[in-house]
Amino acid sequence: MAAPPGSSTQGGTPGTPRVLRAMNDRAALELLAAHGPLTRTRLGELTGLSKPTASQLLTRLESVGLVRTTGNVTGRPGPNAQLYEIDPAAAHVAALAVDQEGITAAVADITGQVAGEHRVTAPATDESLTNRTGELVAEAVDGALAAAGLGRDDLHSTVIGTPGALDPRTGKLRYAPHLPGWQSRTLRDELAEVLHTPIVIENDVNLAAIAEQHHGTAQDFDDFALVWADEGVGAAIVLGGTLLRGATGGAGEIGYMPLPGAPLARGGPDAAARPDGGGGFQMLVGSPAVVELARDHGIDAPTATKALAAARRTPGAGDEVLTELARRLATGLASVVAVVDPELVVLSGEVAQAGGDRLRQLVEVEMTGLALPRPQLRISELEGDPILIGALRTAVADARQTVFDTARFDA
């Protein structure tokens, strides 16, 4: 991994000792981040650096607060070898997940270890909160920082997951009419001014897919789709290992997708308060639709989770609920599969989790025989909030791009 003599950096710029040193530093830091504590000898083996050079590198990284010692390797012949690890205090990041009922914030160190969390209740239907978005975000972040024993000055960057998507051309949050306080065209700048960190606003289902890609059931797949069935319905498409976003950031907004049995999703004031825009696929498989479907079959429950739990233990009527829901899901999935041909489809969100493997099997049965590719179909097995996990993963990765660049110390 060490750069050979006479090598060049990207773009044809001749290699210099400063540039090559920074490249080796980053390589070592990435290895420590991926593997955990390593000895000087092992780090040298992984990077291709000589023992003296590896020693100098670790001394340099320790002096600038990026690496620290963490005990010794024992139980083997010879002197005990010192272990080195990323210093968690090198940087901290914030991640937020926004939904119709509030904002959840988490703070993690540069290794990805969560240090504090906080939840702020903020119903989207409460008109008094419409102009308080920055204040609510700050309250959520400050609560997580307090739980971690940190302050705003400790934050390096922030990633926020929301329904909808930030249009890169206009800066406006699209496909989320049910979040009225998040519609400002200058939202990102406003939040950056409040928190004093760079802000990334990302689609929540895209973040759930990032979580699956790095920590979940999609780790071994370069081409997959995550279908999120919850209060809102959406999809994230990953092709060749890269997240597909679309021209307006709206790739995967399948909740609006026209399907038989559902009215078309249209705009207007009547649709503005609804995440489905008043029509489309979401009206067939979103959480409210599942509650209504169960009620139509004599199963009365307040939430989709409870409705599907009751359906699983109710012969006859419950079987009908699950079969009909599987048919609806399969109809929407068929459109996704026909267009992007993923190797894997991951089902996530409240509806998928509550339906479990029985629902997955019924969806597979419904898709059998269709003149389409047959991707593997799995239920997400991530523990915790996938959106928050994906936001933390993104925030940590973004922070490392800057923090692990030791050339800044030579500037």
Side-chain angles (χ1 to χ4, degrees):
M1 193 168 293
S7 65
S8 297
T9 59
Q10 290 183 344
T13 303
T16 65
R18 174 174 172 270
V19 170
L20 299 179
R21 183 170 64 247
M23 291 171 61
N24 287 334
D25 288 348
R26 178 176 289 276
L29 289 165
E30 293 290 356
L31 285 167
L32 288 168
H35 293 276
L38 295 172
T39 64
R40 179 200 63 185
T41 299
R42 182 57 180 153
L43 188 63
E45 291 171 352
L46 292 172
T47 58
L49 297 172
S50 67
K51 287 184 179 181
T53 302
S55 292
Q56 293 170 8
L57 178 150
L58 287 167
T59 299
R60 183 169 62 252
L61 294 180
E62 191 172 12
S63 70
V64 296
L66 293 178
V67 163
R68 69 180 184 182
T69 57
T70 178
N72 300 283
V73 176
T74 60
R76 66 181 188 181
N80 293 338
Q82 186 79 56
L83 285 167
Y84 296 84
E85 68 177 3
I86 299 293
D87 189 337
H92 289 84
V93 299
L96 294 88
V98 180
D99 57 56
Q100 287 181 270
E101 298 302 323
I103 303 170
T104 301
V107 170
D109 61 40
I110 195 67
T111 72
Q113 182 67 40
V114 175
E117 291 191 34
H118 187 69
R119 171 78 176 174
V120 171
T121 300
T125 54
D126 187 343
E127 294 183 0
S128 68
L129 302 178
T130 299
N131 297 318
R132 294 179 55 201
T133 301
E135 179 183 338
L136 294 169
V137 166
E139 182 182 345
V141 172
D142 286 343
L145 285 168
L150 300 169
R152 288 192 194 176
D153 290 343
D154 295 302
L155 276 186
H156 182 276
S157 57
T158 302
V159 172
I160 303 175
T162 73
L166 205 67
D167 189 328
R169 302 173 303 182
T170 66
K172 186 175 182 180
L173 189 69
R174 295 169 57 90
Y175 314 105
H178 56 301
L179 294 178
W182 292 76
Q183 303 302 318
S184 169
R185 292 180 182 273
T186 58
L187 176 64
R188 185 163 49 195
D189 292 339
E190 292 168 10
L191 296 180
E193 185 175 350
V194 168
L195 296 180
H196 305 295
T197 75
I199 300 287
V200 172
I201 299 177
E202 177 63 277
N203 173 260
D204 52 3
V205 182
N206 283 350
L207 291 174
I210 289 171
E212 292 291 346
Q213 185 179 26
H214 294 282
H215 305 288
T217 192
Q219 289 182 72
D220 298 325
F221 295 84
D222 290 330
D223 301 282
F224 73 94
L226 179 136
V227 174
W228 180 269
D230 203 288
E231 192 73 21
V233 173
I237 311 298
V238 175
L239 298 177
T242 301
L243 191 65
L244 184 66
R245 299 183 182 279
T248 65
E253 289 290 344
I254 63 172
Y256 298 95
M257 186 167 60
L259 285 178
L264 294 176
R266 301 184 185 277
D270 294 337
R274 300 184 57 169
D276 55 19
F281 185 37
Q282 184 158 295
M283 292 197 72
L284 297 178
V285 299
S287 296
V290 171
V291 171
E292 184 177 348
L293 173 62
R295 190 173 295 128
D296 289 344
H297 288 80
I299 299 174
D300 197 359
T303 66
T305 295
K306 292 183 177 180
L308 291 174
R312 291 200 312 271
R313 61 176 181 265
T314 306
D319 296 331
E320 292 176 3
V321 169
L322 290 167
T323 299
E324 172 60 17
L325 178 58
R327 184 192 66 79
R328 296 179 181 185
L329 280 166
T331 301
L333 289 179
S335 297
V336 175
V337 171
V339 173
V340 299
D341 187 20
E343 185 180 359
L344 169 73
V345 173
V346 180
L347 298 178
S348 190
E350 178 189 24
V351 173
Q353 295 292 331
D357 198 57
R358 185 175 174 192
L359 178 61
R360 181 196 65 79
Q361 291 175 2
L362 289 169
V363 173
E364 278 193 336
V365 169
E366 290 292 332
M367 295 186 72
T368 300
L370 295 179
L372 292 168
R374 290 287 304 279
Q376 296 183 49
L377 188 64
R378 298 181 184 175
I379 300 288
S380 172
E381 297 179 353
L382 282 173
E383 295 184 6
D385 183 345
I387 298 166
L388 206 56
I389 294 170
L392 283 168
R393 168 80 193 193
T394 302
V396 169
D398 288 351
R400 287 177 182 173
Q401 286 297 316
T402 301
V403 174
F404 286 1
D405 180 10
T406 57
R408 61 195 169 98
F409 296 111
D410 299 325

